[in-house]
Amino acid sequence: MPFSLVQWFKPKSPWRLTAAFAAGALSVLAFAPFSLYPLALAGPLLLLWLWRDATPRFGFQSGWAYGLGLLGFGVFWLHISIDQFGNMGTAAAMAITLLFVLAIALYYGLVGWLTARLWQAGMGGWWLFGLVPSLWVLGEWLRGWILTGFPWLLLGYSQIDSPLAGYAALFGVYGVSWLLLLSAVLLFRLLSPAVTGCLWLAGGLALLWGGGLLLSLVTWTEPAGPPLKVSMIQGNIAQEAKWRRDSLRPTLDLYTGLTRANWQSNLIIWPETAVPAFAHQVEELLLRPLTEEALANQSALLIGIPMWDVESGAYYNSMISLGQERGSYAKRHLVPFGEFMPLKAWLRPLIDWLQIPMSDFTAGDSTRPLLRVAGYWAGISICYEDAFGEEVIEALPQAAFLVNASNDAWFGDSLAPSQHLEIARMRALESGRYLLRSTNTGISALIDPKGKVRDFSPAFQQHVLSGEIIPMQGATPYVRIGNWGVVLFSCLVVGGALFRFRRRRRL
């Protein structure tokens, strides 16, 4: 029998799972650094085609396969830090990463199971327009919340350069995901055999994407003062050398030298844990002299440095502000297994085996992530924290701009730095604020309130990125509502479908 593509989609064809896996893998190209955003539509569209006559079991299998493709190719860079800095070896690091991907992909399996179950029970037709986007977004939201969350590669991030980005200031990244899935359902219905209402479907699609373009022209915030000149120092210190004792003095000399060459800036930012020592250890050697110099030059400094509470023995991943006003912010959302160990009493042998430097941080307890610098409040996030939009907007509307200090050197020359920059761009767009991203090895960037990168530092190069930002005031709708608008609406849609499903079963 000659090969036919139709065979791929027959109910018992093993190729259907392969197609679902390939759809997930292809979706990775929609994210940075590739940024082929239309491909984010292709994956859900193919899944809808697979689920249209699927059993709940196959819905789960194909959803899981999609998740394995997306996360397996999209975040497999996680093995780099486990391998190179976790004292485990390549084989064990890859095995652990694979287990992690297998577990996280289950969220997509759950979405597939519920979609197929409800579709099979008659919740197709017009129900799909609300049900599929709502189930998908609730799956993404749960992935970003359960066990401290892993909100990486949410489909909404892939649309940062698409017309749908215009909705980010209203509904945040989850809202963009919701509208992307609505687009997939519209396309699915439009391409289905014997479809009716083509004009309505095509019109809805055009209205949805055209509306995003128009919204991208709206300015939700306004200047709060004159421009500030800022400089971000990218030291490019190799991660494997960073915490060696003999690296301390060369590291301090590098950062202080580059800082002194840029005192004309109103604000100078060092990256996450730029100083490989506790703050109290370098108070006289570094912090006090820099404070005096900053005051003399009418400038301000933000420095990434660990802080140690001598009384409790706890230590914190922190940013310290120096200059006219001194303050500190301790990272609140720590990375499991990287910065702290869950179930520490049970997993102590694993902690000792991994030997990851500075991997037992304590979470900070600041009510809001704010520091006063250069005469304004700045919203601070450290590394992974900027992946949680609901936490970033806690600094707003008080913050005039946002700062993210990161160290993506843990993941080498992989997709991670570009994906992380894409996430930071979404935070700037959601909040209507400039975002200053200062990193150790890249990609440092100056991002404007529309989520556009104004300038950036080349990865894996020592570089000082200087430019101007405008302090902003006001609040976008997303700042006022957060994720709850999209999440609650999705819950109502799914709840309504489940209620109708149960009524049908009783009848």
Side-chain angles (χ1 to χ4, degrees), residues 171-230:
F171 310 122
V173 68
Y174 290 109
V176 177
S177 287
W178 203 101
L179 294 170
L180 181 69
L181 267 293
L182 175 59
S183 302
V185 178
L186 286 165
L187 273 174
F188 169 75
R189 290 295 299 271
L190 195 58
L191 299 174
S192 297
V195 65
T196 59
C198 288
L199 288 177
W200 287 101
L201 294 169
L205 203 55
L207 184 63
L208 179 61
W209 286 67
L213 276 175
L214 292 175
L215 284 169
S216 68
L217 303 176
V218 177
T219 300
W220 299 98
T221 54
E222 60 184 13
L228 295 176
K229 186 169 183 181
V230 298

Side-chain angles (χ1 to χ4, degrees), residues 77-150:
W77 41 260
L78 287 168
H79 83 275
I80 296 173
S81 62
I82 303 173
D83 179 9
Q84 296 185 7
F85 310 111
N87 193 37
M88 299 196 69
T90 302
M94 294 181 75
I96 289 174
T97 304
L98 180 59
L99 287 173
F100 175 78
V101 168
L102 286 167
I104 298 298
L106 289 172
Y107 289 103
Y108 294 96
L110 177 61
V111 171
W113 182 85
L114 280 170
T115 301
R117 184 79 178 91
L118 292 172
W119 201 338
Q120 188 184 65
M123 297 288 105
W126 294 103
W127 271 98
L128 289 179
F129 292 105
L131 189 58
V132 172
S134 296
L135 285 171
W136 191 284
V137 164
L138 288 176
E140 287 191 335
W141 179 74
L142 287 172
R143 177 159 71 87
W145 175 64
I146 293 176
L147 298 177
T148 79
F150 185 69

Side-chain angles (χ1 to χ4, degrees), residues 76-97 237-244 337 353-357 407-414 440-441 460:
F76 202 66
W77 41 260
L78 287 168
H79 83 275
I80 296 173
S81 62
I82 303 173
D83 179 9
Q84 296 185 7
F85 310 111
N87 193 37
M88 299 196 69
T90 302
M94 294 181 75
I96 289 174
T97 304
I237 306 294
Q239 189 65 27
E240 58 271 19
K242 182 174 181 175
W243 295 103
R244 291 204 305 253
F337 302 100
W353 182 36
L354 287 175
Q355 298 180 10
I356 298 176
N407 180 22
D408 290 334
W410 291 102
F411 308 109
D413 188 9
S414 67
N440 177 24
T441 58
F460 304 105

Side-chain angles (χ1 to χ4, degrees), residues 329-334 363-369 385 391 394:
Y329 166 75
K331 186 176 183 181
R332 303 179 303 169
H333 200 133
L334 302 176
D365 58 1
S366 302
T367 54
R368 302 180 71 189
E385 286 186 312
E391 296 178 10
E394 290 176 9

Side-chain angles (χ1 to χ4, degrees), residues 395-417:
L396 300 168
Q398 192 170 359
F401 54 90
L402 303 176
V403 174
N404 176 253
S406 291
N407 180 22
D408 290 334
W410 291 102
F411 308 109
D413 188 9
S414 67
L415 300 180

